[in-house]
Amino acid sequence: MKRRQFIQTAAVASAAALIPSFAFASPKRKIGIQLYTLRDVIFKDVQGTLKQVADFGYQELELFGYNDGKVFGKPVSEVTKMVSDLGMKITSGHYGTGLVSPADRPAAVGTLVNQWEKAVNDAKTLGQEYMLIAYLQKDERKTIDDYKKVCELINKNAEICKKYGIKIGYHNHDFEFQPIDGQVPYDLMLKELDPKLVSMELDLFWTIYAEHDPIKLFEAHPGRFEQWHVKDMSKDDRKRNADVGTGTIDFKAIFAKAELSGLKHFYIEHDNFPTSSIESVKADAQNIKSIIS
């Protein structure tokens, strides 16, 4: 390299070093979907439903309904190939504790209390980074001690996940914010769950429905909320979901705090729909692009 070229190159490098790292554009966020949104159609046609999801522009998937080596009634290896062939990635999945099960049969295989390591091994095959405890049955959350028991169980099984390079996590609804004997269960969970091993997936809708501010949670617990559920709230009935971007939730303001949250993945989700699941999923994919751009 000639001396003049060297000086010019060095000068550019030195100038670049003075620019703070946040000045460089971060990689574009990938759009994810929790497939529970399509529960009314996906079991009828797994391949066709996944194809529609890919065509709408979704890139990352969060699964539900795992049971004994199968997802949507199909072997995990088959689902893995379907997703890969469509150019998408499975990053997360929802699971149960298994603490409450029908009296006539044991807990489903692949819950925290029944062959959890099998579920973890299958999650690794699927390519997942996270395994989320998705919901607590009423009999699993009657008392603060019940919540402490759940936290202990999650922390214990987090060690199994760690062996496979997967992180366990917890997904909230609104009931975790309802005080029991003067204590807010979600506050307890943030304290009891090991932050080194357990990630929190914040459902923005249910958090706001419970009249809590996601941004204040990010500020109080920076980096804890690595995944979000993104679903909007109807202007007419706050119990109902609106297509993302058409309701009352200010997602722009929340996404502006993504780094503070520790966000790595987010998933569009609906519990209910203005019209149909497919129409909402299509509209959500279109609308979210302007929010995260």
Side-chain angles (χ1 to χ4, degrees), residues 12-24:
V12 170
S14 297
L18 295 173
I19 301 174
S21 59
F22 61 75
F24 294 99

Side-chain angles (χ1 to χ4, degrees), residues 66 68-70 76 117-127:
Y66 170 87
D68 196 11
K70 293 184 177 181
V76 294
E117 189 158 2
K118 175 178 174 56
V120 178
N121 186 56
D122 284 336
K124 189 70 176 179
T125 298
L126 289 160

